[in-house]
Amino acid sequence: MYSVELINVDKTYDNKQLVVKDVNITIQSGEFFVLVGPSGCGKSTLLRMIAGLEGISAGTLRIDGKKANHLPPSKRELSMVFQNYALYPHMTVEDNITFGLDVKKIRKKEQRKKCNDIAEMLGLTEYLKRKPRHLSGGQRQRVALARAIITNSPICLMDEPLSNLDAKLRAHMRAEIRELQRKLGITLIYVTHDQVEAMTMGDRIMVLNEGEIQQVGKPIDVYNSP
Ligand code: ADP
Ligand code: ADP
């Protein structure tokens, strides 16, 4: 139901060169879709265009089958997780997690119930009253995940969510995110420059090079091709 479709999508910043060139792809509902490629190839730009944080210079974006080029970010039914977590430092973990529900004016009692369920799932229960600065990197990343999934958005966008974690934790979180995505059945668009992440997490991978699609397919097919 919640597919994301890009049709002949281009991006230029300040009317200069194309940083995304004629991208055509349909990301299926419920798919774990990984965008991979070297630094500067346009991954974040593409993700930000889907989120509505960046305008589309040419082409069409469809979300759930409907044209979304000019839809405000809040109407796109998606949540985001960033590399730097983007938590509010002055707010407790609980208030960070429930922020999106507060904005939607959900009743406090319901917010607490949902927060407790998700905190339980992500092992955050004992940290709910703390401020983010008192958490480890892995715990902060889980708070960012909790904040994204609590809104029940059918689409989630993640931009290098694990790159600030050490190798061991990264491996653990790869599995955790994969499991979470399956359990929730959400459409997940995941940006990384890490080939191991792409290989082990994605249902499909899209390799970008200088703003153009180089390859799209299942991990095994992409990495076995010349
Ligand atoms: P990636 O996420 O793959 O590292 P980006 O999407 O961040 O790539 O960047 C793609 C290209 O667009 C790079 O050449 C980058 O310098 C340029 N770029 C990104 N953001 C901006 C911006 N706000 N203004 C101008 N150029 C930008
Ligand atoms: P990433 O980790 O995604 O590659 P960058 O460090 O390239 O991010 O960019 C961080 C921020 O700087 C982004 O908001 C991006 O839009 C902006 N940016 C990147 N390249 C440029 C550029 N050439 N000119 C202006 N802004 C840029």
Coordinates of all heavy atoms in Angstrom, one line a residue, residues 13-14 19 37-46 48 54 191, ligand 1:
Y13 N 21.3 21.7 -7.1 CA 21.3 22.7 -6.1 C 21.7 24.0 -6.7 O 22.6 24.1 -7.5 CB 22.3 22.4 -5.0 CG 21.9 21.3 -4.1 CD1 22.5 20.0 -4.2 CD2 21.0 21.5 -3.1 CE1 22.1 19.0 -3.3 CE2 20.6 20.5 -2.2 CZ 21.2 19.2 -2.4 OH 20.8 18.2 -1.5
D14 N 21.0 25.1 -6.5 CA 21.4 26.4 -7.0 C 21.5 26.4 -8.5 O 22.4 27.1 -9.0 CB 22.7 27.0 -6.4 CG 22.8 26.7 -4.9 OD1 21.7 26.9 -4.2 OD2 23.8 26.3 -4.4
V19 N 23.0 16.7 -9.3 CA 23.5 15.7 -8.3 C 22.7 14.5 -8.2 O 23.2 13.5 -7.6 CB 23.7 16.4 -6.9 CG1 24.7 17.6 -7.0 CG2 22.4 16.8 -6.3
G37 N 26.3 3.7 -1.8 CA 27.2 4.4 -2.8 C 28.2 5.2 -2.0 O 28.0 5.5 -0.8
P38 N 29.2 5.7 -2.7 CA 30.3 6.5 -2.0 C 29.8 7.8 -1.5 O 28.7 8.3 -2.0 CB 31.3 6.6 -3.1 CG 30.6 6.5 -4.4 CD 29.5 5.5 -4.1
S39 N 30.5 8.4 -0.6 CA 30.2 9.7 -0.1 C 30.0 10.7 -1.3 O 30.8 10.7 -2.2 CB 31.3 10.2 0.8 OG 30.9 11.4 1.3
G40 N 29.0 11.5 -1.3 CA 28.8 12.5 -2.3 C 28.0 12.1 -3.5 O 27.8 12.8 -4.5
C41 N 27.6 10.8 -3.5 CA 26.9 10.3 -4.8 C 25.4 10.7 -4.8 O 24.8 10.4 -5.8 CB 27.0 8.8 -4.8 SG 26.0 7.9 -3.7
G42 N 24.9 11.3 -3.8 CA 23.5 11.8 -3.8 C 22.5 11.1 -3.0 O 21.3 11.3 -3.1
K43 N 23.0 10.2 -2.1 CA 22.1 9.3 -1.3 C 21.2 10.2 -0.4 O 20.0 10.1 -0.3 CB 22.9 8.4 -0.4 CG 23.8 7.5 -1.2 CD 24.5 6.5 -0.2 CE 25.5 7.1 0.8 NZ 26.6 7.8 0.2
S44 N 21.9 11.1 0.4 CA 21.1 11.9 1.3 C 20.1 12.9 0.6 O 19.0 13.1 1.1 CB 22.0 12.8 2.2 OG 22.8 12.0 3.0
T45 N 20.6 13.4 -0.5 CA 19.8 14.3 -1.3 C 18.5 13.5 -1.7 O 17.4 14.1 -1.6 CB 20.5 14.8 -2.6 OG1 21.7 15.5 -2.1 CG2 19.6 15.6 -3.4
L46 N 18.6 12.3 -2.2 CA 17.5 11.5 -2.6 C 16.5 11.3 -1.5 O 15.3 11.4 -1.6 CB 18.0 10.2 -3.2 CG 17.1 9.5 -4.2 CD1 16.8 10.4 -5.4 CD2 17.9 8.3 -4.8
R48 N 16.3 13.1 1.3 CA 15.7 14.3 1.7 C 14.5 14.8 0.8 O 13.6 15.4 1.2 CB 16.7 15.4 1.9 CG 17.6 15.1 3.1 CD 18.2 16.4 3.6 NE 18.9 17.1 2.6 CZ 20.2 17.0 2.3 NH1 21.0 16.2 3.0 NH2 20.8 17.7 1.3
E54 N 13.8 18.7 0.9 CA 14.5 19.2 -0.2 C 13.6 19.1 -1.4 O 12.9 18.1 -1.6 CB 15.8 18.3 -0.4 CG 16.9 18.9 -1.2 CD 17.5 20.1 -0.5 OE1 18.2 19.9 0.5 OE2 17.3 21.2 -0.9
V191 N 19.7 4.5 4.0 CA 20.9 5.0 3.3 C 22.2 4.6 4.1 O 22.3 4.8 5.3 CB 20.9 6.6 3.2 CG1 22.3 7.2 2.9 CG2 19.9 7.0 2.2
Ligands
ADP1 P1 25.8 11.5 -0.1 O1 24.6 11.4 0.9 O2 25.8 10.3 -1.0 O3 27.0 11.6 0.6 P2 24.7 14.1 -0.8 O4 23.4 13.9 -1.3 O5 25.0 14.6 0.6 O6 25.6 12.7 -1.0 O7 25.5 15.0 -1.8 C1 25.4 14.9 -3.2 C2 26.1 16.1 -3.9 O8 25.3 17.2 -3.7 C3 27.5 16.3 -3.3 O9 28.3 16.8 -4.4 C4 27.2 17.5 -2.3 O10 28.4 18.3 -2.2 C5 26.1 18.2 -3.0 N1 25.2 18.9 -2.0 C6 24.6 18.2 -1.0 N2 23.8 19.1 -0.3 C7 24.0 20.3 -0.9 C8 23.5 21.6 -0.7 N3 22.6 21.9 0.3 N4 23.9 22.6 -1.5 C9 24.7 22.4 -2.5 N5 25.2 21.2 -2.8 C10 24.9 20.1 -2.0

